[in-house]
Amino acid sequence: MFDKILIANRGEIALRVIRACREMGIQSVAVHSTADSDAMHVRMADEAVCIGPPSSTDSYLNIPAIIAACEITGAQAIHPGYGFLSENAAFVQALEDHDITFIGPTAEHIRVMGDKITAKDTMKKLGVPCVPGSEGGVPDYETAKKVAEDMGFPVIIKATAGGGGKGMKLAKSADDLETAFRTARSEGKANFGNDEVYIEKYLGKPRHIEVQVFGDGKGTAVHLGERDCSLQRRHQKVFEEAPGPCITPEMRAAIGKTCADAVADINYIGAGTIEFLYEDGEFFFIEMNTRLQVEHPVTEAIFGVDLVREQIRVAAGMPMSFGQDDLTINGHAIEVRINAEKLPNFSPCPGKISAYHSPGGLGVRMDSALYNGYSIPPYYDSLIGKLIVHGRDRPEALSRLGRALGELIIDGIDTTTPLFHALLAEDAVQTGDYDIHWLEKWLESNLG
């Protein structure tokens, strides 16, 4: 087992990893920018190293500085959290070159799954169902036009290296296609340095269902059920739950086994999430995230497992502490993402926290790096907390979420908390009867 782990991240996910390390008797090292000198993860870690100025490029994405911090502190492994360098194959390769263990999959698996065309081809070969679409990248508009006409509109054009909704454009008809094609390419080039795009059939009313998988890197893998992440704004998740309200035990077992078998076949190591669009009883693969997800706590809640602890164990060469037969769903869990944003436009709202009170009680977990007097810097993602609730069933979890939201106090800035109060009053949310387009339409009607 490792003696010391460096966490190459910030905020609540850095705290999450630090806590797992402490429970395992492992020393933790926090890295931080000058803007994060007073951050909670810096205060909580056993050691802290400043790696650069506020800009992410010069700090949290600064690979030489992070490796130097490992060498200075004697950290044997790095946990990347999510975001930043968590899916950067070059980073993983650099760590291997310096004999530092990356707590996550191999560089090759990150490379394969990071390119959406390659990922789709790989999953097809492994027996995972995929969305109908172009065979590989689409090099020019004339090819795009032919592919779209053959497939039938509407279609969605996606940058092969895209993510977070960037480089993704809908063409409802032939009239929209050229603009969508050129915009997706330009966004892919600007955000990811790659203008290659591909085309998929656009599904009318799908849900976003993702399957949590975990492998030991030696040909053994399990699935930990699914999460429904259909409530999204601009392709960004805001409300996640497990198990999915529309997924039957039979469906769960079938798609879960398909996913577990696929990652076992490629000797995948650590946590991964295989994401699908689900419509009319069918699953269609869209991408695989080769890291811990923001919404991993809902899976932990219903299975009673610590995914970060498990990541550390398998990275150290230890066997998984559970098998498929040990994993039984207990109840229902929901997570809402609390962002420092001002409604109705969701504009970033950094600033000083004048009062903070975390909700508590049975079945309530608040993952946040906030504290009274903390100043949220303007340089990073606006996520400032995740409120997770667990109940015996979905109605109890929803009721508990309403109670916990009522207890949460974050003064001094605007947050998205009022959005969740409003959503809980909606019949569609109470019944779970929504798709990935529902929230956008609701926001247009209620906050537009």
Side-chain angles (χ1 to χ4, degrees), residues 233 238 339-348 416 419 443 447:
R233 174 183 173 269
V238 301
N339 290 353
E341 293 174 349
K342 186 177 179 63
L343 301 175
N345 298 321
F346 294 87
S347 52
T416 51
L419 170 65
L443 290 169
L447 298 184

Side-chain angles (χ1 to χ4, degrees), residues 54-71:
S55 166
S56 296
T57 303
D58 298 322
S59 54
Y60 296 105
L61 295 173
N62 187 336
I63 294 175
I66 291 171
I67 291 175
C70 266
E71 293 174 341

Side-chain angles (χ1 to χ4, degrees), residues 265-287:
D265 282 350
I266 61 173
N267 293 324
Y268 186 85
I269 183 169
T273 298
I274 301 179
E275 304 201 352
F276 296 91
L277 292 179
Y278 170 83
E279 188 173 70
D280 297 330
E282 293 188 273
F283 292 88
F284 301 101
F285 170 80
I286 48 176
E287 66 179 338

Side-chain angles (χ1 to χ4, degrees), residues 12-349:
E12 61 84 17
I13 189 57
L15 280 179
R16 169 73 185 87
V17 180
I18 289 168
R19 287 169 175 147
C21 288
R22 189 147 296 159
E23 290 182 11
M24 298 176 76
I26 300 169
Q27 295 281 297
S28 60
V29 179
V31 292
H32 64 93
S33 69
T34 52
D36 273 340
S37 297
D38 293 327
M40 185 61 82
H41 76 285
V42 175
R43 297 182 174 200
M44 289 272 289
D46 296 297
E47 298 177 59
V49 179
C50 182
I51 53 170
S55 166
S56 296
T57 303
D58 298 322
S59 54
Y60 296 105
L61 295 173
N62 187 336
I63 294 175
I66 291 171
I67 291 175
C70 266
E71 293 174 341
I72 291 167
T73 59
Q76 303 144 305
I78 286 182
H79 194 298
Y82 51 72
F84 291 133
L85 294 168
S86 62
E87 293 178 288
N88 187 309
F91 176 54
V92 179
Q93 189 63 58
L95 295 184
E96 290 177 8
D97 294 342
H98 286 80
D99 294 321
I100 300 167
T101 300
F102 179 74
I103 300 176
T106 64
E108 179 60 22
H109 286 148
I110 291 174
R111 262 188 224 105
V112 168
M113 294 304 165
D115 182 284
K116 294 186 179 181
I117 292 174
T118 307
K120 189 174 178 181
D121 289 344
T122 301
M123 285 300 181
K124 272 184 180 178
K125 291 173 185 174
L126 292 169
V128 178
C130 296
V131 179
S134 58
E135 293 294 330
V138 179
D140 52 54
Y141 171 66
E142 290 305 317
T143 306
K145 185 177 179 183
K146 184 178 187 311
V147 170
E149 287 174 347
D150 289 346
M151 193 182 307
F153 290 93
V155 299
I156 191 160
I157 302 169
K158 297 181 178 181
T160 63
K166 296 183 178 70
M168 187 184 300
K169 295 297 167 186
L170 172 65
K172 294 180 179 178
S173 68
D175 294 339
D176 305 327
L177 185 64
E178 185 170 6
T179 299
F181 176 79
R182 302 198 187 287
T183 304
R185 287 192 67 173
S186 63
E187 286 188 8
K189 182 68 173 177
N191 289 284
F192 309 103
N194 183 347
D195 68 356
E196 186 178 34
V197 298
Y198 63 104
I199 300 178
E200 287 183 343
K201 181 68 178 172
Y202 181 74
L203 301 176
K205 289 188 172 183
R207 298 181 77 111
H208 182 121
I209 302 293
E210 58 187 34
V211 177
Q212 176 72 61
V213 292
F214 204 99
D216 66 356
K218 302 170 185 176
T220 298
V222 299
H223 73 87
L224 293 94
E226 80 289 343
R227 297 182 289 258
D228 190 318
C229 307
S230 301
L231 288 178
Q232 302 179 9
R233 174 183 173 269
R234 295 184 178 176
H235 305 289
Q236 294 284 334
K237 304 164 188 172
V238 301
F239 180 111
E240 302 109 341
E241 59 184 308
C246 66
I247 304 300
T248 66
E250 294 75 21
M251 291 177 187
R252 179 175 303 115
I255 195 63
K257 185 178 188 306
T258 297
C259 292
D261 287 350
V263 296
D265 282 350
I266 61 173
N267 293 324
Y268 186 85
I269 183 169
T273 298
I274 301 179
E275 304 201 352
F276 296 91
L277 292 179
Y278 170 83
E279 188 173 70
D280 297 330
E282 293 188 273
F283 292 88
F284 301 101
F285 170 80
I286 48 176
E287 66 179 338
M288 180 176 182
N289 289 313
T290 52
R291 55 169 168 80
L292 197 67
Q293 294 279 86
V294 176
E295 58 274 19
H296 76 274
V298 295
T299 297
E300 293 183 326
I302 64 170
F303 284 104
V305 299
D306 184 332
L307 289 174
V308 175
R309 181 187 182 95
E310 206 66 23
Q311 284 183 299
I312 294 169
R313 282 175 53 87
V314 298
M318 299 175 71
M320 290 191 297
S321 62
F322 48 75
Q324 193 65 63
D325 292 341
D326 301 315
L327 297 168
T328 303
I329 293 175
N330 173 31
H332 198 93
I334 301 171
E335 173 184 290
V336 294
R337 303 190 187 191
I338 310 297
N339 290 353
E341 293 174 349
K342 186 177 179 63
L343 301 175
N345 298 321
F346 294 87
S347 52
C349 190

